[in-house]
Amino acid sequence: MLNSYSSVDKVLLAVDCIIFGFDNEGLKILLIKRGFEPEMGKWSLIGGFLKKEEKLDSAAIRILDTYTGLHNVYMEQLHTYSEIDRDPVERTISVAYYALINIENHNQELIKNYDAQWFSVTDVPKLIFDHDSMLRHAIRRLRYRTSTKPVGFELLPEKFTMLQLQKLYEAILSKELDKRNFISKINSMDILIKLEEKDMQSSRKGSFLYTFDKDKYDEKSLNDFVLNL
Amino acid sequence: MLNSYSSVDKVLLAVDCIIFGFDNEGLKILLIKRGFEPEMGKWSLIGGFLKKEEKLDSAAIRILDTYTGLHNVYMEQLHTYSEIDRDPVERTISVAYYALINIENHNQELIKNYDAQWFSVTDVPKLIFDHDSMLRHAIRRLRYRTSTKPVGFELLPEKFTMLQLQKLYEAILSKELDKRNFISKINSMDILIKLEEKDMQSSRKGSFLYTFDKDKYDEKSLNDFVLNL
DNA sequence: TCAAAAGTGTTCACCGTACACCCATGG
DNA sequence: CCATGGGTGTACGGTGAACACTTTTGA
């Protein structure tokens, strides 16, 4: 029988984070240059180990905070990876999380000190271990989540233009969208506040800024949010 | 820094399985009466611990085999649960899997010996630890998976009638479906083989039997499978 | 006055949904 | 011949997708 707690093998539990950001150029992820063996000098997702008195969500939050200085960030558990030799040094199980952050807000000093850098998701170097497959998995999940929850706003500044929002969804879905269709779908969701303010950087005419209306979204029944782009 | 493997806490890793079956009455899950403390005598999902030289998928397969005598079963990893006190005896992290089995094929002797029983998902007793939330999560995932992959056939015998298939999807989605619409959607997917054989149990006229055409399904590009019921 | 981005509606094809009657058979 | 479940088609409304021109204003 398996029914005894004694004599059961314990394992190392790691948490790896796929940290997404967006900077109007495209979707980015934060990678770190590994400073220790094995695979020293190679690029890696940002990770750490689970502590004894900590749940996985907390570990993911702690790790994100350590490397970016951010908390109160959208995170979601992805999958748990357990191939025997995924880490050649020691048997390690890794629970992957992905995070969506506003790239303007992170602590640039911190990531410099940690030898971390932003990479475009369309141009990611070879990563260590099974981190490539974690990344693929995270992008797939993010695409799906897009149709289910208004996650896009997590990646944008407080105030943003429609074009920014559209470019973001284009980057996530990696396909081009029609401006008119996009705007009318977003408007029909009725979760944006159109501000009086305009962004004058992008054009002579200027474009109106919007904010995500979280209260309005929360009022809606969660199930009826569907966004097919 | 977190960058050293030494002096990191190790934890117990459990695997819990939500095992679904279907018997024309409704969707069922297999539960076991716990034979040891804590919570002895209470109902629980079927689980076990991860072994040192084993990956999670293998552990889930092993556990399913142990309790049902089945292998080659559809399984999918769900989520990893890590609340500090989820198991009052010892800190345990649990990775949940769900399985879809053909209920006719399982070893009835085995489950009797293990004090396991099938319960209708609409009438499940209070489960130990966080197993209730695992079950809720599994049902939600199964519903979603339904629109993404032809998972229904995993729960049916080799040969089945259209009505059986419909009742199954009704049980999974817990809503009634229109017979004509259901059949035309299923037929438009073009992944069933209509046999010459009829099932004569259910009516005087008899109803044709079908089989899932796995080869035909595999030929199709996986992305274009969408089933909205 | 012109270049450059912002903003705005309509049409069409397809799909999901609602809905009711005839068929075949064994007793 | 009749009761029982099996099997089949159509009409409508809503939504996704394609598509082009006008407005504003700083230089």
Side-chain angles (χ1 to χ4, degrees), chain B residues 21-34:
Chain B
F22 178 72
D23 69 355
N24 293 334
E25 230 99 279
L27 199 59
K28 302 283 164 80
I29 61 164
L30 190 59
L31 297 176
I32 195 168
K33 195 181 273 178
R34 224 169 128 93

Side-chain angles (χ1 to χ4, degrees), chain A residues 42-106:
Chain A
K42 300 270 183 70
W43 292 99
S44 155
L45 293 174
I46 283 166
F49 289 102
L50 183 74
K51 294 187 172 172
K52 205 174 232 119
E53 293 295 328
E54 188 183 47
K55 57 183 179 172
L56 286 162
D57 289 2
S58 309
I61 291 168
R62 168 176 57 79
I63 290 165
L64 189 80
D65 189 17
T66 305
Y67 288 89
T68 65
L70 295 174
H71 15 263
N72 275 98
V73 162
Y74 183 90
M75 292 192 95
E76 188 184 336
Q77 188 190 303
L78 252 192
H79 192 80
T80 300
Y81 296 80
S82 62
E83 292 290 321
I84 303 288
D85 294 318
R86 52 177 301 283
D87 180 331
V89 173
E90 184 160 353
R91 180 75 200 287
T92 309
I93 312 288
S94 174
V95 184
Y97 279 74
Y98 76 93
L100 306 178
I101 74 171
N102 177 345
I103 206 168
E104 291 177 356
N105 293 351
H106 77 284

Side-chain angles (χ1 to χ4, degrees), chain A residues 5 52 54 80 87 91, chain B residues 5 52 54 80 87 91:
Chain A
Y5 286 73
K52 205 174 232 119
E54 188 183 47
T80 300
D87 180 331
R91 180 75 200 287
Chain B
Y5 285 73
K52 207 175 229 120
E54 188 182 47
T80 300
D87 180 332
R91 180 75 199 287

